[in-house]
Amino acid sequence: MENSTEDSRIQSFDLGTQLLLKTALKDPGSVNLETVSNIIVDQSLKDQVFSKEAGRICYTIVQAEVKQNNGNVFRRNLLNRLQQEFKDREETRRRSLQEWVYSICCSYFSTSLTVNNMPMVALVHPVYDCLMRLAQPDALMNEEEVDCLVLQLHRIGEQLEKVNVQRMDELFFLLRDGFLLQEGLTSMARLLLLEILEFRAGGWMLSSTAHKYYYSEIAD
């Protein structure tokens, strides 16, 4: 990934923080990587656009540290912070639905914490737990949470299924029952649930016809 692309994602920070992050991308051994991991997570909890891209920044730092000294300091600190966010998830949801949704995006920093292109086992169960929480009846009543759930399943649903297909089956039982049985869902929530059910049934892809149907409906 081009450094200029990474740099463009950190322009919202003050100059000192920008310098710290840019250095971490190129020379991670020269900066405090615990501070770097906390900065990235804190910003992701406030900025949805950043939270969607932060995993790529983390991946770049992880790879740079491995190349530099075969280290895992950044990965270890990031994992510790994400595990703390996971423990506090219900408190976060009660305090701020928006922050809770953004914290789900943080969970998907697992894209930067992979082994042989698969999510680390330490993150798989917490990520599944977050997805199961989003599939509960009270969460399905909120379009923002349904949209978050569907987005994350598009991103790494196939990877998670390869690690633990039983939990993915359990998750989709909840989604199917929610779609078929739950009263009071908005039309958009139902459309999103139907789309993700069909997406997985199609082997984690949609036919061109289905894609046109769902995304024309969402656009409308």
Side-chain angles (χ1 to χ4, degrees), residues 132 135 165-175 200:
M132 298 290 279
V165 67
Q166 181 178 348
R167 289 212 71 185
M168 188 62 72
D169 286 341
E170 293 170 358
L171 174 63
F172 271 79
F173 289 152
L174 287 177
L175 298 181
R200 188 198 181 203

Side-chain angles (χ1 to χ4, degrees), residues 25-213:
L25 290 166
K26 300 173 183 177
D27 183 16
S30 68
V31 298
N32 185 320
L33 292 173
E34 181 178 7
T35 299
V36 171
S37 64
N38 285 329
I39 288 171
I40 292 172
V41 174
D42 288 342
Q43 184 67 14
S44 295
L45 293 174
K46 299 182 290 186
D47 183 343
Q48 186 177 29
V49 173
F50 183 83
S51 70
K52 292 177 179 179
E53 301 295 340
R56 298 178 187 179
I57 296 174
C58 292
Y59 179 83
T60 301
I61 298 173
V62 167
Q63 294 303 307
E65 190 182 11
V66 169
K67 183 177 180 179
Q68 186 176 60
N69 57 21
N70 200 32
N72 66 353
V73 174
F74 176 75
R75 186 166 67 176
R76 184 175 67 250
N77 281 295
L78 182 61
L79 177 59
N80 289 340
R81 176 63 192 275
L82 293 177
Q83 288 175 328
Q84 184 59 50
E85 292 299 326
F86 170 74
K87 291 177 183 177
D88 297 339
R89 64 193 184 282
E90 284 298 331
E91 179 183 342
T92 301
R93 188 177 185 270
R94 287 192 295 270
R95 181 177 68 248
S96 168
L97 186 62
Q98 183 183 67
E99 189 174 326
W100 152 244
V101 169
Y102 292 0
S103 74
I104 297 297
C105 293
C106 288
S107 297
Y108 296 92
F109 289 175
S110 56
T111 56
S112 70
L113 300 172
T114 58
V115 177
N116 297 325
N117 294 318
M118 297 299 292
M120 287 179 62
V121 174
L123 284 177
V124 169
H125 289 299
V127 169
Y128 264 121
D129 287 346
C130 289
L131 293 175
M132 298 290 279
R133 181 64 185 87
L134 288 171
Q136 298 304 309
D138 60 335
L140 294 180
M141 297 297 289
N142 187 294
E143 281 185 15
E144 190 174 8
E145 290 182 280
V146 176
D147 184 62
C148 176
L149 169 63
V150 170
L151 175 63
Q152 306 314 327
L153 285 170
H154 272 278
R155 286 178 172 173
I156 63 166
E158 186 173 9
Q159 283 183 310
L160 288 173
E161 183 174 59
K162 289 176 180 177
V163 177
N164 192 328
V165 67
Q166 181 178 348
R167 289 212 71 185
M168 188 62 72
D169 286 341
E170 293 170 358
L171 174 63
F172 271 79
F173 289 152
L174 287 177
L175 298 181
R176 181 200 61 194
D177 288 349
F179 173 76
L180 293 174
L181 304 175
Q182 187 164 332
E183 298 181 356
L185 296 182
T186 67
S187 58
M188 179 57 70
R190 288 192 182 280
L191 182 68
L192 289 168
L193 289 174
L194 181 59
E195 187 270 346
I196 199 61
L197 290 168
E198 186 167 348
F199 185 69
R200 188 198 181 203
W204 299 102
M205 64 179 64
L206 290 175
S207 68
S208 58
T209 301
H211 187 277
K212 289 178 183 178
Y213 169 73

